[in-house]
Structure formats: structure tokens, C-alpha cells
Amino acid sequence: MNDQQIKNIVEAVLFAMGEPISCEKIAESLEEQPELVEAAMLELMSDYDQRLAGICILQMENRYQLATRPTYVEFVRKALNTRRNTPLSTAAMETLAIIAYNQPVTRSFIEQVRGVDSSSSVSGLLDKGLVAEAGRLNLPGRPISFRTTDVFLRSFGMNSLEELPPARDQAEQLSDMMVQEDE
């Protein structure tokens, strides 16, 4: 198989998958070396970027996904006649931040940190695909733990969780909250 064929197959697999996939997984299906697939992937990414194509390849850690170039998202939305996603509430953003920085976490951990019931926030985040169940803990009641998803990474323009901004310490956060309450 020549380089152009590998590149074409990589492009076809990315298109058909609709979900992130690793070069290793593609290489297995081609019975080729992962390095060849990765080189083809990087070449495709470069091709799309050089010509500012309507599509791009997103990298999420060691996986890749074909996506609409952000510049053209609004046009695609209009063409599909879809409503704009509603922004997350403050409660949902707090819940998402707790999950992102502490994952995997249980609902009771989230509620302990927030100090209020968070079941509707967690449900909303699950519905939007920003979080997913990470399994059940081996504790009484076998509580479900939650983690962020690739949708979360894409939505916030990150390749991995390592790109999350550093968490501020609690004293600094409390200080900011008190200043806001005084205003």
C-alpha cells in the first residue's frame, strides 16, 4: 500500500467513524505500521489547514476526529436549521468544573463540594454528552462515578485534560466569593 492510499483510507475512516479514533486502531485495520498512519494523519491535517478547508482534524490526546472547521460552524448550523445550544447554567458549570478537576467523582462528592443537590445539573451534563458514567465504586450502594467526555474536550477546545487551567486554591476562591457578595 502506498502513502497516498494510506492517506485516503485514513480520511475515509475518520469520515465514517464520527467518533475519535487512534492511529493504532486504524493501523490494525490496515495491517500497517502505526507510524505510517500517523504520518498520513499529520499530512491530512496539514492539507486541510493549508487550504483552510471546511473540515479539520481534531486531536484529542492520542485520538483524532474529523470535524467542521470552527470558522464554518455557524453556516453549518444555519444549513441544518438547528437551534443554537443553550449556554450552561452557573450550577451546571460548577458541576462540570468539579467533575473535570476531580474525575472520576460521585454525585455525593459533587454535592458535598457544592453544598446543594446536583442531580439536575449532572443529568443535564449527561444529556449534553459533556460527562459520562465512569463506572460504579465498590462502596455500599455502589455509587456511580462520572468523568468528562470527548464532547467536553471539543466544546472547550482542548486536546486533553492537561490543558485545563490550574485550579485555584480554595482560600483564593472563597476570597473572590466574599468580594462578590459584598458588592
Side-chain angles (χ1 to χ4, degrees):
M1 202 174 301
N2 68 38
D3 291 345
Q4 185 60 49
Q5 288 173 312
I6 292 173
K7 188 170 141 182
N8 292 344
I9 292 168
V10 166
E11 185 176 42
V13 169
L14 287 173
F15 177 77
M17 278 301 291
E19 301 263 331
I21 186 170
S22 68
C23 288
E24 290 76 19
K25 182 99 172 154
I26 297 172
E28 284 175 27
S29 68
L30 296 176
E31 297 178 357
E32 289 286 350
Q33 295 298 316
E35 296 79 23
L36 293 174
V37 172
E38 190 166 352
M41 186 74 70
L42 294 173
E43 194 175 322
L44 267 175
M45 290 171 80
S46 177
D47 290 352
Y48 292 153
D49 288 344
Q50 281 179 356
R51 62 185 175 93
L52 293 175
I55 55 175
C56 62
I57 298 174
L58 300 177
Q59 181 179 358
M60 289 163 271
E61 295 180 344
N62 66 338
R63 294 168 300 148
Y64 299 86
Q65 181 175 7
L66 201 57
T68 301
R69 185 170 300 281
T71 308
Y72 306 117
V73 167
E74 199 56 43
F75 300 105
V76 172
R77 275 196 191 117
K78 286 178 185 175
L80 295 174
N81 198 21
T82 57
R83 290 185 332 178
R84 188 165 224 185
N85 284 338
T86 56
L88 294 175
S89 67
T90 303
M93 283 297 282
E94 288 173 1
T95 302
L96 187 56
I98 292 165
I99 294 170
Y101 282 98
N102 299 287
Q103 61 188 305
V105 297
T106 62
R107 186 171 287 143
S108 71
F109 176 83
I110 296 165
E111 290 172 355
Q112 184 178 14
V113 172
R114 290 195 63 231
V116 295
D117 178 63
S118 298
S119 51
S120 71
S121 294
V122 172
S123 293
L125 294 171
L126 284 165
D127 290 344
K128 289 181 181 287
L130 294 169
V131 299
E133 291 184 9
R136 291 190 174 266
L137 298 181
N138 196 12
L139 297 171
R142 308 246 322 130
I144 298 169
S145 61
F146 299 95
R147 63 170 175 75
T148 56
T149 64
D150 292 330
V151 173
F152 166 78
L153 292 175
R154 277 195 311 273
S155 297
F156 288 90
M158 293 184 285
N159 293 325
S160 73
L161 292 172
E162 292 165 3
E163 293 181 24
L164 281 170
R168 298 170 27 199
D169 73 20
Q170 289 176 343
E172 191 177 335
Q173 290 174 359
L174 287 173
S175 171
D176 286 352
M177 288 168 49
M178 284 190 263
V179 168
Q180 289 174 358
E181 287 176 9
D182 291 342
E183 293 175 351

